[in-house]
Amino acid sequence: ALFEKDFESYLESAHALKGSSGSIGANEMHNLCRQALSNKRNENQYLSILKKLFSAFGKTEDLLLDYVSDDTNKVKANSSSL
């Protein structure tokens, strides 16, 4: 969206991501989206925020994968003891 200067789509995506990230406790992503939305008129910061979001997404993804893996291992351990 940014490379096409479609700022409206960028902001709509930031809004959706803000809600989703807030729901799962991804606070860094949530706060970056809030920052993007609060600076709607400052298009110069959009790319900088997007780069930070990309990094925060990678961290969040790793944490979620670890969480799911731990839950899967707990389920396997519990089912093997039945």
Side-chain angles (χ1 to χ4, degrees):
L2 285 182
F3 296 111
E4 297 167 358
K5 297 192 186 257
D6 185 359
F7 302 124
E8 186 176 334
S9 291
Y10 170 81
L11 293 171
E12 288 174 3
S13 296
H15 179 76
L17 186 57
K18 180 181 75 120
S20 299
S21 59
S23 294
I24 64 167
N27 295 328
E28 184 178 0
M29 290 179 64
H30 180 80
N31 290 332
L32 286 165
C33 290
R34 278 187 26 211
Q35 183 181 349
L37 293 169
S38 68
N39 294 321
K40 287 182 183 180
R41 302 207 189 281
N42 192 350
E43 297 165 0
N44 295 328
Q45 289 190 357
Y46 288 174
L47 188 56
S48 172
I49 292 170
L50 185 61
K51 288 178 183 178
K52 291 175 186 175
L53 271 168
F54 187 76
S55 174
F57 175 80
K59 294 175 197 173
T60 301
E61 181 182 34
D62 290 343
L63 290 170
L64 287 171
L65 289 172
D66 287 346
Y67 177 79
V68 170
S69 176
D70 286 348
D71 272 359
T72 302
N73 291 334
K74 288 177 187 174
V75 168
K76 286 180 184 176
N78 288 338
S79 64
S80 67
S81 65
L82 294 176

